[in-house]
Amino acid sequence: MLRNHLLIAFRNLLRHGAFSLVNMIGLAVGLTACILIALYLQYEWSYDAFHDKGNRIVRVVMEYGSGTEMMKTGVTGTKVAPTFKRNFPEVETGVRMFAAENIVKSGEKLFNEKHFYYADAGFFDVFSFKLLSGNPVKALAEPNTVVITETTSKKYFGDTNPIGKIIRVNDNKDFTITGIAADCPKNSQIQFDLLASFSSLRAAQEEENWFNANWTTFLLLKNKESSKSLQAKIMPFMKTQFSKEEMSDGYLTYQLEPFTEVHLHSDVENTFEPNTNVLYLYIFSAVALLILIIACFTYMNLTTARATERAKEVGMRKVLGAARKQLFWQFITESAVLTLVALLISVIATFLLLSPFNQLIDKNIPFAAVFSPTNLLFLLSIALVITLFAGSYPALILSGFQPIKVLKGAFKASFSGLFLRKTLIVFQFMISVFLIISTIIIQDQLRFIQQKKLGYNKDHVLVLPMDPKINEKLSTIKTVFQSDAEVLGVSAAYETPVFINGGYAMWGEGMQKGQRKSISALPVDENFIKTINLEIAAGTDLTEADQKRIANPDYKQNYFYFILNESAVKSMGWTNENAIGKRMDLGDARQGEVKAIVKDFHFASLHQKIEPLVIFPDTYFNNIMVRLSGKNLSATLALLGKQWKEIAPHRPFEYEFMEVEFNRLYTSETRIGKAFSVFAFLAIFLACFGLFGLAAFTILQRAKEIGIRKVLGASVTQIVVLLSSDFVVLVFIAFLIASPIAWYVMNIWLQDFVYRINFSWWAFLVAGIGALGITLLTVSFQAIKAATANPVKSLRTE
């Protein structure tokens, strides 16, 4: 029986090749979209799943503040890991880490390594990174030792064994290679190319402290259930670590985050790799489901559109003794064959599209992942669901035809069947309109981000990383660079204004002695305000004399001039005018007075409101910022590169434009915007297929009516309008349903941005007009074909 069903199924598919091809393409497009999205979701959910002890690892987040103010950061002081290990039985061990960008010299080769990490000796005990060569216990036990990855080893030494060889870092320290590690999996938060011992850092040799927070801390718990008990002990313990005078109304504590949840669920920035918002995974899941539903509905509409064509076939089979059950399974078999062929096409399409899809989402998902046991089971399950879900309704309808009516030519579509098909069209276009509106709003928000006045000018600003040797030559670099007429300004700062993460404890005049206010702060040179074009609201800018005054290494003998933003002034209860000259300090070490107020500028993502900020002069920086005129960029960059090589031959001239750094803050939003655009197009494409099927079905049912109207004098235009009007109504209903849903969902999405657009009426108008235009374009093809047909053909049987 099955062999017979399969044989008939293949014959029918081949006999109606054009129809079968259209149906297969519709299903294949939907399946391809689902496979690609499923691969992305699986990749994101699998982050850090390869660690054997992953369910016992927690990241320590520092939480500090005073009064009602609270700040969180993903870094801590050096004291957290060793102190917690000594005092809490729940903690088995801890690992402190630091990510840096270092220049590495091997022989005569120079490499700018952007993934140079430092970690405590227990790193390979806590994390399951595979060490191919070397002792995991001793590899990071001594100062100035380093483990390199397999790829880095080949880059530096080819096929030579690198163990025991020396590499020079930042031209001031030699490191001995003690191990070779396998390359880090792509779905890992930790992505090192070189991993040096934490004891190599100066901070590791200094006294442990709570406040100098630059280090990412992970704890390995003795069992996964002990996280709650440990969390409950931390706050009381931290209260015992400080005197009343030290903390006053402030506090410092730590929160524990399960390591495997940081990538998707943490609201604190990851110090190594950007987080992904789990909300976007839910959105992609919903989009995949909606596209699959559209594909199924399209198949159902196209199949039932051929009902009249197959009615006589069903009638003859029933007359010859075929039972309804046999006919039902015949049509289900046809559905299964078509679905499996579509699945095969979708796998081929996935192979062809995976590379551009990886570029779209900025991932590296291998095609081999499609054939994992889990994914194969998923694909077969999807095929089964489509076969039963999409094939059952047409099978029930076709197998239920009454042979007498069919063979007499009295077959007509039922009202309930027509109502269901129209409902499917409404649902398909409802999804399409929803995706169109959502795409427009997402793109509008992204444009808003790009065009919003940030309070500083990020255009044509080069950012060059620094090291201790560059710091020593900073004055020379400034002088040489500024000799070029195309260079408008040169400045140095610890961080760029795109994202300022440094946190300090501030005291200001008017506060009680011992009180502290948590505040973001940025060490800069005297050219910072002018170079990035901050606007001074009151007071005067820093001068070269202010910079020289604090060059004395004994901070307590120095007198600092501070610059506050307007938010900091308001938080202190001051005004711009009376703030000038107010006494203040940062953590006791830096004491002085307020010299100027700058207007608020965005120094973090637009997801966050502008917080209080203090800018102060310093002598050690991480970045040089060079503002260019924007003219003759290639020639200017070539000249700067030549000058850099002469001044700093130990470090390659590698730069990044500040605008690129700014765009990285919105990587997730950019991806979701591009993906929404693609999937909105696919949804419309599939909805058009369904509409095409219903139009064909309807026009076949009304063939004689159209013939009579033509005989009675109806014009082609009148007939086209008559046939199109019903579909326009369906799309209009879809628009009315989809618009409030899109408004509600997008309103929730926009709540994640403190600074956001207002809903534009034109987004809904564009979506409505677009859907209407697509409808008319799709239906008019069938309508014009029917309106221009010879009426004699449709009436000759009467």
Side-chain angles (χ1 to χ4, degrees):
M1 182 64 73
L2 178 61
R3 180 174 176 275
N4 185 53
H5 284 336
L6 287 172
L7 185 62
I8 296 171
F10 277 112
R11 283 177 179 173
N12 276 317
L13 292 176
L14 293 173
R15 184 180 301 124
H16 307 283
F19 166 81
S20 300
L21 183 63
V22 168
N23 233 337
M24 283 179 196
I25 291 173
L27 274 180
V29 168
L31 283 168
T32 303
C34 286
I35 292 173
L36 291 173
I37 292 174
L39 289 174
Y40 168 66
L41 295 176
Q42 185 183 56
Y43 185 88
E44 289 291 336
W45 285 110
S46 69
Y47 251 76
D48 302 302
F50 62 92
H51 295 290
D52 295 335
K53 302 175 182 177
N55 62 353
R56 291 197 284 136
I57 303 172
V58 293
R59 180 178 75 156
V60 182
V61 170
M62 186 167 77
E63 182 180 304
Y64 59 100
S66 59
T68 58
E69 297 177 354
M70 184 270 286
M71 298 180 73
K72 281 185 176 183
T73 179
V75 291
T76 74
T78 54
K79 198 169 185 176
V80 176
T83 302
F84 281 21
K85 182 180 178 181
R86 287 191 296 265
N87 289 277
F88 299 121
E90 292 90 346
V91 179
E92 182 174 315
T93 189
V95 172
R96 297 164 297 182
M97 296 185 66
F98 180 69
E101 182 175 339
N102 291 334
I103 298 299
V104 178
K105 185 176 183 182
S106 175
E108 296 303 314
K109 299 177 184 176
L110 280 179
F111 301 95
N112 186 9
E113 295 293 356
K114 297 184 178 181
H115 293 92
F116 194 114
Y117 287 24
Y118 296 84
D120 276 316
F123 177 83
F124 289 103
D125 177 45
V126 175
F127 300 102
S128 299
F129 293 100
K130 188 176 180 182
L131 201 60
L132 303 176
S133 180
N135 187 328
V137 176
K138 298 180 179 179
L140 300 175
E142 299 294 330
N144 303 333
T145 54
V146 63
V147 171
I148 63 177
T149 62
E150 191 173 14
T151 297
T152 304
S153 176
K154 289 180 180 178
K155 181 172 72 173
Y156 285 15
F157 305 105
D159 294 328
T160 306
N161 183 6
I163 302 297
K165 293 188 180 295
I166 305 296
I167 57 175
R168 191 161 182 79
V169 178
N170 291 334
D171 203 31
N172 63 6
K173 189 178 289 188
D174 291 332
F175 281 75
T176 303
I177 298 173
T178 55
I180 304 174
D183 292 343
C184 299
K186 297 298 182 183
N187 55 345
S188 170
Q189 295 176 50
I190 300 172
Q191 293 286 340
F192 66 86
D193 292 323
L194 298 95
L195 184 69
S197 55
F198 192 83
S199 56
S200 309
L201 293 168
R202 186 178 64 183
Q205 292 141 24
E206 297 172 347
E207 184 181 354
E208 294 172 355
N209 70 82
W210 297 109
F211 295 104
N212 185 14
N214 293 297
W215 327 106
T216 304
T217 300
F218 297 100
L219 302 176
L220 178 65
L221 306 182
K222 290 182 179 176
N223 59 73
K224 61 182 179 180
E225 291 81 19
S226 59
S227 178
K228 288 184 179 180
S229 63
L230 175 59
Q231 184 68 72
K233 294 178 181 179
I234 292 175
M235 176 70 92
F237 174 79
M238 292 307 299
K239 288 181 179 179
T240 68
Q241 300 301 298
F242 308 101
S243 66
K244 291 183 178 180
E245 289 75 21
E246 284 180 305
M247 295 307 286
S248 185
D249 66 338
Y251 75 96
L252 171 66
T253 189
Y254 299 94
Q255 302 294 329
L256 306 178
E257 294 184 336
F259 175 63
T260 53
E261 295 183 11
V262 170
H263 179 66
L264 294 178
H265 298 280
S266 178
D267 59 352
V268 178
E269 286 295 325
N270 198 325
T271 48
F272 300 135
E273 293 292 309
N275 289 342
T276 295
N277 191 334
V278 71
L279 173 64
Y280 294 148
L281 300 194
Y282 295 143
I283 290 173
F284 272 117
S285 301
V287 168
L289 180 62
L290 292 175
I291 287 178
L292 192 61
I293 290 173
I294 288 179
C296 290
F297 285 178
T298 297
Y299 172 75
M300 292 167 67
N301 265 338
L302 287 173
T303 304
T304 52
R306 289 184 60 229
T308 53
E309 190 177 330
R310 304 202 57 180
K312 290 185 179 179
E313 173 194 340
V314 172
M316 288 298 297
R317 285 177 179 274
K318 283 196 170 185
V319 167
L320 295 173
R324 181 173 184 179
K325 182 179 178 181
Q326 290 174 308
L327 291 171
F328 174 83
W329 286 110
Q330 173 61 55
F331 291 120
I332 286 292
T333 303
E334 288 183 21
S335 175
V337 170
L338 192 141
T339 301
L340 289 173
V341 175
L343 181 60
L344 178 62
I345 295 172
S346 68
V347 171
I348 296 171
T350 299
F351 173 76
L352 299 174
L353 296 173
L354 189 57
S355 179
F357 182 71
N358 275 328
Q359 292 177 5
L360 177 71
I361 62 174
D362 193 26
K363 300 295 179 185
N364 189 24
I365 304 171
F367 178 68
V370 175
F371 300 104
S372 70
T374 302
N375 286 338
L376 286 176
L377 181 62
F378 168 76
L379 292 178
L380 291 175
S381 300
I382 288 291
L384 180 62
V385 169
I386 291 175
T387 298
L388 296 176
F389 176 69
S392 293
Y393 176 71
L396 288 169
I397 295 299
L398 293 172
S399 63
F401 290 161
Q402 296 181 21
I404 296 176
K405 290 184 177 181
V406 168
L407 297 176
K408 286 175 63 179
F411 166 72
K412 290 184 180 180
S414 67
F415 171 78
S416 60
L418 187 60
F419 176 78
L420 178 59
R421 283 186 290 278
K422 288 184 176 182
T423 301
L424 297 183
I425 289 295
V426 169
F427 189 80
Q428 287 174 312
F429 270 88
M430 184 181 77
I431 295 171
S432 301
V433 170
F434 168 80
L435 290 176
I436 293 171
I437 294 172
S438 300
T439 299
I440 292 172
I441 292 173
I442 289 171
Q443 296 297 341
D444 203 18
Q445 174 66 17
L446 291 176
R447 276 192 299 273
F448 171 78
I449 290 169
Q450 292 292 333
Q451 297 169 5
K452 189 180 188 308
K453 292 183 179 180
L454 300 171
Y456 66 91
N457 188 350
K458 67 181 185 301
D459 298 333
H460 304 127
V461 178
L462 291 184
V463 179
L464 296 155
M466 298 175 65
D467 57 40
K469 279 199 169 187
I470 300 295
N471 263 282
E472 294 172 5
K473 299 179 179 181
L474 181 58
S475 179
T476 304
I477 291 172
K478 285 183 178 181
T479 303
V480 172
F481 278 11
Q482 287 176 329
S483 66
D484 186 348
E486 301 301 325
V487 175
L488 305 182
V490 182
S491 175
Y494 194 79
E495 295 170 297
T496 72
V498 171
F499 188 77
I500 298 172
N501 195 38
Y504 291 76
M506 167 190 168
W507 173 88
E509 191 175 322
M511 297 173 65
Q512 293 181 8
K513 188 177 180 180
Q515 278 188 322
R516 285 286 183 269
K517 181 181 289 291
S518 298
I519 193 168
S520 297
L522 178 65
V524 302
D525 70 359
E526 73 278 11
N527 299 319
F528 179 78
I529 304 292
K530 295 185 286 289
T531 301
I532 68 166
N533 296 345
L534 291 184
E535 187 175 348
I536 295 180
T540 57
D541 198 359
L542 296 173
T543 65
E544 190 174 349
D546 298 330
Q547 191 74 23
K548 288 180 178 178
R549 185 182 294 110
I550 54 90
N552 189 323
D554 186 355
Y555 278 124
K556 293 186 178 180
Q557 294 181 13
N558 301 331
Y559 192 81
F560 282 75
Y561 284 114
F562 300 101
I563 296 177
L564 304 182
N565 70 348
E566 291 176 313
S567 292
V569 172
K570 290 176 184 175
S571 73
M572 294 298 297
W574 301 335
T575 65
N576 287 354
E577 290 70 27
N578 70 24
I580 305 301
K582 293 281 188 183
R583 294 293 304 271
M584 62 166 284
D585 68 52
L586 285 179
D588 291 328
R590 300 172 179 87
Q591 300 178 354
E593 66 183 56
V594 178
K595 185 175 186 181
I597 311 299
V598 293
K599 290 193 174 182
D600 279 343
F601 66 96
H602 292 276
F603 58 89
S605 145
L606 296 186
H607 290 282
Q608 305 168 29
K609 69 175 183 177
I610 298 175
E611 299 287 350
L613 173 73
V614 57
I615 297 169
F616 64 93
D618 205 345
T619 56
Y620 186 83
F621 311 107
N622 285 335
N623 300 283
I624 296 175
M625 287 161 285
V626 184
R627 176 168 296 286
L628 306 178
S629 67
K631 303 172 185 176
N632 305 317
L633 268 180
S634 57
T636 304
L637 291 172
L639 177 60
L640 294 180
K642 182 180 178 182
Q643 294 169 338
W644 180 275
K645 190 173 182 180
E646 292 173 357
I647 301 170
H650 72 286
R651 189 177 190 100
F653 180 68
E654 293 192 4
Y655 59 85
E656 181 177 70
F657 280 99
M658 191 180 288
E659 193 166 2
V660 174
E661 184 184 355
F662 174 80
N663 290 337
R664 270 203 302 271
L665 293 176
Y666 308 100
T667 301
S668 294
E669 288 76 16
T670 303
R671 287 178 196 158
I672 201 78
K674 290 178 180 177
F676 248 100
S677 300
V678 171
F679 293 128
F681 171 79
L682 289 178
I684 294 167
F685 175 79
L686 292 172
C688 288
F689 263 51
L691 188 62
F692 185 88
L694 185 58
F697 178 84
T698 303
I699 288 168
L700 279 172
Q701 291 293 305
R702 301 177 69 175
K704 289 185 173 61
E705 175 194 342
I706 294 168
I708 293 170
R709 287 181 180 275
K710 288 198 70 176
V711 169
L712 295 175
S715 66
V716 172
T717 302
Q718 289 173 321
I719 293 174
V720 170
V721 170
L722 175 71
L723 295 174
S724 302
S725 59
D726 287 346
F727 299 103
V728 170
V729 170
L730 295 179
V731 173
F732 183 69
I733 293 171
F735 172 77
L736 291 179
I737 298 172
S739 294
I741 297 174
W743 178 89
Y744 177 76
V745 173
M746 284 295 97
N747 191 53
I748 293 175
W749 179 72
L750 286 171
Q751 294 304 315
D752 195 37
F753 294 88
V754 174
Y755 305 93
R756 54 184 179 265
I757 60 170
N758 294 316
F759 280 108
S760 302
W761 59 268
W762 63 266
F764 296 87
L765 181 63
V766 167
I769 293 174
L772 183 62
I774 292 166
T775 301
L776 292 174
L777 195 63
T778 305
V779 174
S780 62
F781 173 78
Q782 292 277 9
I784 292 171
K785 181 180 176 182
T788 55
N790 188 345
V792 174
K793 290 183 178 179
S794 58
L795 296 175
R796 63 186 174 186
T797 56
E798 292 297 314

